[in-house]
Amino acid sequence: MSAIPDPSFSLAPSGNLRRRMRVSRAVQGSTIAAAGLAVVVLAILVGYVAIKGIGVISWSFLTGGTLPPLTGQAGGMMPALLGSLEIGLIATLIAVPVGILTAIYLSEFAGPRMNAVVRTMLDLMNGLPTIIAGIFLFALLVATTHEDSAYAAGLALSIVMTPLVTRASLEALNRVPATLREAADALGVSSWRTILGVILPSASGAILTATILAIARALGETAPLLFTVAVFGPKIQVNPLHGVPSIPFEIWTLVEGGYAGALRQAWGMAFVLVVTILLLNVGARLLLRRSQRKRGL
Amino acid sequence: MSAIAPGVPNPAVRLREARARLNAIDRRASLALRWLCFAGGAIVLLAMIAVAYEVINGASQAIGKFGPGFLIHKTWNPVVTPRSPGVFGALSLIYGTLITSVFALILATALGVAIAIYLAMLAPKPVAAVVGPLVELLAAVPSIVIGFIGIIVIAPFSQSTLEPALHTVLGWIPLVGNLFGPVPQSGLSLFTAALVLTIMVVPIISALCRDMFLTVPRELQEGAEALGATRWEVIRGVVLPTTTSGIVAACVLGFGRATGEAIAVAQVIGGVNDLSASLFNPGNSLASAIAIQFGSPDSALHTSALYYCGVVVFVIGLVVNLLARQIAAGFRTRMALG
């Protein structure tokens, strides 16, 4: 018996379905709220640093030397800026070669057992609390030589950077199409030429992106510096065998005292640090998108 | 036929020799690259072994003096007197580490998973393309800056608003209420530290979960929708059950990150080595105790006790990471089979 539907029957959800849809909408609303909250927190963090810090920034602040917390004046950040760059450079020079070589080892050479062992170690290194990297280098180099040094801090930061570089490089190497390698093999190209001339270049975009992100991460790290380059002061020092001032350590010291002038200096430095790190992150993202588009063509 | 000068080998031979030389170079270079890459991997292994050795070595004096009792005693008194070289027990630090991390994990899991659901399944594409990277940028803000804002903004806010509200709402409940005791004068507290940790852990959990939600096969979700399931029922009935182990792994990783964070916690936790149940009182965590005290120790034993704290943080991190790997491996096998 086919019945013509009752035209007065409403298609609007009713009863149980209405309740279910209300629940669904409520959940959807709360996920939007959660995402909104995260964005608002980011805006507060960055906005607050910008509001407090931008007024401090001036030519004399960027080029001057840091003043002790008690003077109450906003000194400058040039020594800390140079020191941070130097430590970051040392860490990069260690972490990038080690990271890329390890990634090539894992993707090209290592047997399944070594692969599992090294990958586990990389995961553990990635999860290693950065303060542990700091006290490790303190025990290894600072306690034995009784002197802070920029290279000890660079080594500590390289422990933070290496797993980041390795993991991203490994992913990039694994994404290189097998046809490229087979073509090289078919032409009788030796393995080192294939790796250095074919595989590595086609992964270079992703590796560069990972390196930039790792540098951005390292520049903001404080814990590895606390006991390896605890130097504070207005003097420009760049000898890597001795301690150098650094932005994160200066902020840490300035904030500890809580004096108004010191806080002004700290806001200025925090602003420069945050802007640098955010620019590096955005830049890395754009770079990655470009290299992906190139590969897509 | 060109004349070949005497003494000069003919071109075919020269070519063969050149090729042999090149092959020899290639062989050697390939071998060298192989060993160089092996050295890279070996450095990673040796570095981790060296970290474990140096930290345990630094802690040996304290381990010898206090043994495992270090973990359950709460007195932390570095002052050296003629009668005592200082007494160290890490219970209050372990409590501070765990309570702040657990509290942060609860908040961050709820927020992170909700954000991941939104980004992976509910948000319109252009919105997700903007909000997703913004949430990831939250992870890029350095801990020293988050801690700085923690002192200036978050601590006063939680002291004046959040803590009194929670005390009124939850403070009267037996047992649990002890966590939400009366609010002291300062906003530097375990609770503020937990809030700061939440900010740092949310982006980790949401990024990992979003990537996992995106791997759930579309057909499964469409099948449920075809049967009349609402969006939420698809998520609860299909997406969350398929990814449960992955979500747990992400949360475990976030927890590991929270237990090891030293700087931001040290700035807002108050730095008091006292054991008090209430979240609103100042306290200390293992990692932040190292950050605050390691630079100016009262004695060699004090330094050694701080290394011992380092060992505990290290072991927690180790266990947590291996656990996450194990859970994630289970997730991958299930996805491969499913």
Side-chain angles (χ1 to χ4, degrees):
Chain A
M1 287 246 317
S2 71
I4 300 164
D6 178 3
S8 67
F9 185 82
S10 165
L11 285 175
S14 61
N16 194 28
L17 180 59
R18 199 152 75 203
R19 186 188 55 77
R20 285 165 53 207
M21 290 181 77
R22 218 178 290 141
V23 170
S24 183
R25 265 198 302 274
V27 172
Q28 290 184 44
S30 56
T31 64
I32 294 175
L37 183 63
V39 174
V40 166
V41 168
L42 177 71
I44 291 176
L45 287 178
V46 176
Y48 204 85
V49 172
I51 290 169
K52 288 286 193 174
I54 208 157
V56 182
I57 305 296
S58 67
W59 184 246
S60 67
F61 178 77
L62 289 176
T63 55
T66 319
L67 294 173
L70 267 173
T71 56
Q73 294 157 329
M77 64 178 295
M78 186 46 100
L81 190 63
L82 290 178
S84 264
L85 292 179
E86 181 184 344
I87 296 168
L89 183 69
I90 295 172
T92 309
L93 288 180
I94 298 165
V96 170
V98 171
I100 293 178
L101 287 177
T102 307
I104 297 177
Y105 175 68
L106 290 176
S107 81
E108 307 291 328
F109 299 121
R113 190 175 303 168
M114 271 310 272
N115 228 307
V117 172
V118 176
R119 273 170 202 261
T120 309
M121 281 298 171
L122 281 168
D123 277 0
L124 295 182
M125 201 183 227
N126 192 35
L128 186 77
T130 54
I131 188 97
I132 302 289
I135 60 172
F136 163 60
L137 260 303
F138 174 85
L140 194 69
L141 292 175
V142 179
T144 48
T145 61
H146 302 288
E147 187 173 25
D148 289 8
S149 66
Y151 75 92
L155 278 167
L157 285 185
S158 75
I159 293 182
V160 177
M161 286 176 71
T162 302
L164 301 175
V165 175
T166 310
R167 192 195 292 171
S169 304
L170 191 55
E171 274 172 20
L173 290 174
N174 288 339
R175 270 201 308 270
V176 174
T179 47
L180 276 182
R181 183 182 325 231
E182 285 157 12
D185 285 349
L187 290 172
V189 180
S190 62
S191 73
W192 74 285
R193 284 179 206 272
T194 309
I195 293 170
L196 295 186
V198 177
I199 297 174
L200 206 52
S202 53
S204 60
I207 294 176
L208 185 62
T209 307
T211 304
I212 296 175
L213 287 177
I215 292 172
R217 168 84 196 280
L219 282 180
E221 281 294 338
T222 313
L225 310 182
L226 279 186
F227 318 117
T228 50
V229 279
V231 173
F232 183 94
K235 219 168 98 219
I236 290 181
Q237 304 171 60
V238 286
N239 186 345
L241 299 179
H242 299 291
V244 297
S246 62
I247 296 177
F249 183 75
E250 304 243 320
I251 296 177
W252 167 261
T253 314
L254 289 166
V255 172
E256 241 180 359
Y259 303 103
L263 289 185
R264 266 171 59 79
Q265 284 189 83
W267 283 121
M269 290 187 192
F271 178 69
V272 172
L273 188 63
V274 167
V275 167
T276 311
I277 288 172
L278 291 188
L279 283 181
L280 285 175
N281 269 278
V282 172
R285 234 167 257 280
L286 294 177
L287 202 69
L288 184 68
R289 198 169 298 168
R290 223 191 61 182
S291 76
Q292 275 169 348
R293 202 177 313 137
K294 217 161 58 188
R295 196 168 324 132
L297 291 172
Chain B
M1 284 286 277
S2 61
I4 296 170
V8 178
N10 86 43
V13 174
R14 275 197 357 226
L15 193 63
R16 202 180 313 134
E17 279 176 357
R19 195 166 289 159
R21 255 200 319 276
L22 204 60
N23 278 343
I25 293 175
D26 272 352
R27 253 200 312 280
R28 242 172 276 154
S30 296
L31 201 64
L33 182 65
R34 196 193 181 101
W35 278 105
L36 209 58
C37 293
F38 173 74
I43 287 176
V44 170
L45 284 187
L46 291 178
M48 284 306 289
I49 294 169
V51 169
Y53 170 78
E54 285 289 352
V55 176
I56 292 173
N57 187 38
S60 56
Q61 193 190 349
I63 293 177
K65 192 157 167 54
F66 304 114
F70 184 72
L71 307 176
I72 52 168
H73 286 120
K74 62 175 185 178
T75 315
W76 180 280
N77 182 12
V79 178
V80 182
T81 60
R83 294 225 312 278
S84 142
V87 182
F88 300 96
L91 186 63
S92 68
L93 305 177
I94 293 172
Y95 175 77
T97 303
L98 293 182
I99 197 77
T100 51
S101 301
V102 167
F103 202 81
L105 184 67
I106 293 170
L107 287 176
T109 303
L111 281 171
V113 172
I115 294 170
I117 289 174
Y118 178 70
L119 291 175
M121 285 169 294
L122 301 174
K125 267 245 164 67
V127 178
V130 174
V131 176
L134 282 181
V135 176
E136 280 171 36
L137 273 188
L138 199 52
V141 180
S143 52
I144 182 98
V145 173
I146 296 184
F148 192 6
I149 291 176
I151 298 176
I152 307 287
V153 182
I154 302 174
F157 178 67
S158 69
Q159 197 266 341
S160 68
T161 312
L162 293 178
E163 292 181 0
L166 283 171
H167 176 61
T168 329
V169 177
L170 301 170
W172 57 272
I173 305 173
L175 282 177
V176 181
N178 291 336
L179 284 175
F180 305 98
V183 180
Q185 286 296 306
S186 163
L188 301 179
S189 63
L190 295 168
F191 178 75
T192 307
L195 288 184
V196 164
L197 285 175
T198 307
I199 297 178
M200 309 181 75
V201 175
V202 161
I204 298 175
I205 293 182
S206 75
L208 290 171
C209 286
R210 181 196 55 192
D211 291 350
M212 248 160 347
F213 293 159
L214 289 174
T215 64
V216 176
R218 276 301 317 168
E219 308 91 74
L220 286 181
Q221 301 179 44
E222 281 159 8
E225 267 163 23
L227 291 173
T230 62
R231 295 306 282 278
W232 164 238
E233 284 161 355
V234 173
I235 293 164
R236 202 197 52 192
V238 176
V239 177
L240 293 183
T242 4
T243 51
T244 308
S245 51
I247 297 172
V248 174
C251 295
V252 171
L253 275 181
F255 181 77
R257 179 75 204 279
T259 54
E261 175 55 38
I263 297 301
V265 171
Q267 284 173 296
V268 298
I269 201 166
V272 178
N273 289 44
D274 276 338
L275 188 62
S276 66
S278 174
L279 280 169
F280 303 147
N281 286 338
N284 215 343
S285 80
L286 291 161
S288 79
I290 301 175
I292 296 168
Q293 302 177 13
F294 195 87
S296 49
D298 289 341
S299 62
L301 186 62
H302 190 186
T303 304
S304 188
L306 290 169
Y307 273 117
Y308 201 166
C309 292
V311 173
V312 179
V313 177
F314 189 67
V315 170
I316 293 176
L318 218 66
V319 171
V320 160
N321 274 284
L322 292 178
L323 199 66
R325 273 177 68 92
Q326 213 60 39
I327 299 169
F331 170 69
R332 268 195 295 277
T333 355
R334 268 191 44 208
M335 285 305 277
L337 293 176

